[in-house]
Amino acid sequence: MMIAVLMLLSVSAAFAGNSDALKAILKADSYTEAAKLVESSLGQLADNAEKATAYNKIVDLALAKYNEESAKVAIKKEADEAGMYDALDAAYTAAAECYKYDQLPNAKGKVKPKYSKVNAVRLYQLRPNLINGGGFFQGKDNKKAFKLLSYYVTSNSEPMFNEVKTDAAKDPNYLNAAFFAGYMAYMDHDWANAEKYAGMAVNDSANGANALNIMLTAMKAQLKTAADSAEFINKCKALYEKNPDNQMIFANLVDAYSQAGKATEAEQLVNTRLEREPNDFIALMVKGQFLEQHDKFQEAADALKKSLANAPEQNKLMLNATIGDCYLYHAQKRLEKVSGVLSKAAKEQFIPVYNEAIKYYEAAKALDKDGSQKAKYAARLYSCYYFVLGEKDPKTQEAKSYAGY
């Protein structure tokens, strides 16, 4: 009986100085219950010290849930994995709030951190599991996946972990986590975070090219005003100055100039690159497109053919189709100048040009294994066969059917 009385007195003493709001939070059985109580009664807590204690209670309960489920996973017992990683998320989120209030003056005006170091140690030890959590939620809930992966990345720069953190440059998982955090944000159309985290991974040997692509795509997705476009051009210029051989940055800078109506700057950039790299397939491709826009079809075709000779496989279909366009549009422009009915002799002069167009359209068709890119060439291929062979020829009819007419 005496022991029970002493325990009761001890508990009463422990709670004696706490506000009613904090007492309720400390009695919570789960981190979700504690979090709801903190959210609804934060303004009722007496001071910064109580707020730190309240958030620390969430950390305690969230880690208890995490440890319970992770123990089941360890022995291959059925576990609530989603709940396990949700709890880890809650622990990191609450610890950040706990740290904030733990570093502020208490009711007596003194700063006496009570929980910061303990939380830093126990959470940093669990840091690799943030990557596992990101992988678990990938494709199921990209927002949650991003949040866990971003914790891994930012934990190396948050003051809370100053005493325990390792050097990011020596962390083999850092750039990989940054890339996938950016990728998860990209999948969720969270463009600002996609740009931020993918940008951290552009020098990663494994994912650098994809990270750069995500970063540039996210940057473009945020363009709304002329000022935004000007800023994007400046960012691309800065990137290009640091990476003058990077074709992706070059292509985006050219496109940015073109979209902003700066054709002169775009063409100058292309010509400068070709002076340095005469066989650069992207520069040649862009030059060909510029020439085509100015109705210089033969010159455009010549540039595009040089581009085709050095292009990666994934660009060849589009290049073949575009070369075909150059020949077709060249012929059509000349035909526009013919008055009256086209004689047989006059038609013969155009057939070699149409045959060149057919040659490249057929090459594009051969590369389009599943027919998903028909819009780039099929209708125009039919038009060419119609002119050269007539409507009733089997090749014309086949091209007509293939084009969906």
Side-chain angles (χ1 to χ4, degrees), residues 28-314:
D29 293 323
S30 69
Y31 77 87
T32 53
E33 180 189 354
K36 287 178 182 177
L37 288 169
V38 172
E39 183 180 357
S40 63
S41 61
L42 188 63
Q44 299 169 36
L45 297 174
D47 57 14
N48 292 321
E50 280 207 349
K51 291 174 182 177
T53 299
Y55 279 109
N56 191 68
K57 181 64 177 178
I58 300 175
V59 179
D60 287 342
L61 292 171
L63 288 180
K65 169 67 175 176
Y66 174 82
N67 291 331
E68 177 188 352
E69 299 303 329
S70 62
K72 294 176 186 176
V73 171
I75 59 174
K76 298 183 179 178
K77 186 177 178 180
E78 186 175 345
D80 176 12
E81 286 193 72
M84 178 176 75
Y85 291 120
D86 281 340
L88 188 59
D89 175 1
Y92 267 82
T93 302
E97 290 299 305
C98 177
Y99 178 84
K100 180 175 73 176
Y101 290 110
D102 210 22
Q103 303 299 312
L104 296 175
N106 58 24
K108 296 180 180 179
K110 296 182 179 180
V111 177
K112 290 186 175 182
K114 185 177 179 181
Y115 308 105
S116 298
K117 189 169 184 178
V118 172
N119 282 340
V121 171
R122 59 181 176 170
L123 287 174
Y124 206 80
Q125 290 174 345
L126 295 175
R127 188 165 169 258
N129 294 291
L130 294 168
I131 295 178
N132 296 334
F136 175 82
F137 282 121
Q138 181 177 347
K140 302 185 187 84
D141 189 329
N142 292 330
K143 193 181 294 293
K144 285 184 178 180
F146 162 74
K147 198 173 180 187
L148 290 167
L149 290 163
S150 68
Y151 281 143
Y152 186 92
V153 177
T154 59
S155 57
N156 256 30
S157 59
E158 288 181 358
M160 179 170 72
F161 296 108
N162 277 349
E163 293 184 35
V164 296
K165 70 182 180 181
T166 55
D167 184 357
K170 297 178 181 178
D171 181 351
N173 298 314
Y174 183 81
L175 292 178
N176 193 50
F179 168 72
F180 279 102
Y183 179 61
M184 290 299 99
Y186 168 81
M187 294 298 289
D188 200 42
H189 292 183
D190 179 359
W191 304 122
N193 279 318
E195 177 186 350
K196 174 182 175 182
Y197 286 91
M200 296 177 183
V202 293
N203 294 319
D204 182 23
S205 58
N207 298 305
N210 288 330
L212 178 62
N213 191 29
I214 289 173
M215 183 181 76
L216 290 167
T217 301
M219 287 164 65
K220 287 191 285 189
Q222 297 173 81
L223 304 181
K224 294 182 176 66
T225 66
D228 293 338
S229 297
E231 183 180 0
F232 177 64
I233 288 173
N234 289 333
K235 286 181 179 180
C236 284
K237 284 170 67 177
L239 285 169
Y240 190 52
E241 286 174 6
K242 292 179 181 178
N243 305 275
D245 296 323
N246 192 289
Q247 292 176 322
M248 193 183 304
I249 299 171
F250 165 74
N252 274 272
L253 181 53
V254 171
D255 183 61
Y257 276 135
S258 299
Q259 294 297 325
K262 297 179 180 292
T264 301
E265 289 87 340
E267 291 186 27
Q268 183 178 355
L269 183 67
V270 170
N271 291 333
T272 299
R273 187 173 180 88
L274 286 172
E275 286 174 7
R276 193 176 80 246
E277 299 288 342
N279 295 317
D280 183 271
F281 92 91
I282 288 185
L284 287 165
M285 179 174 66
V286 175
K287 181 177 181 179
Q289 291 167 345
F290 284 157
L291 289 166
E292 182 188 2
Q293 290 166 10
H294 291 97
D295 292 350
K296 296 180 179 180
F297 297 111
Q298 187 58 59
E299 293 176 63
D302 291 341
L304 292 166
K305 287 176 188 177
K306 286 182 68 177
S307 175
L308 180 62
N310 298 295
E313 198 64 29
Q314 66 266 25

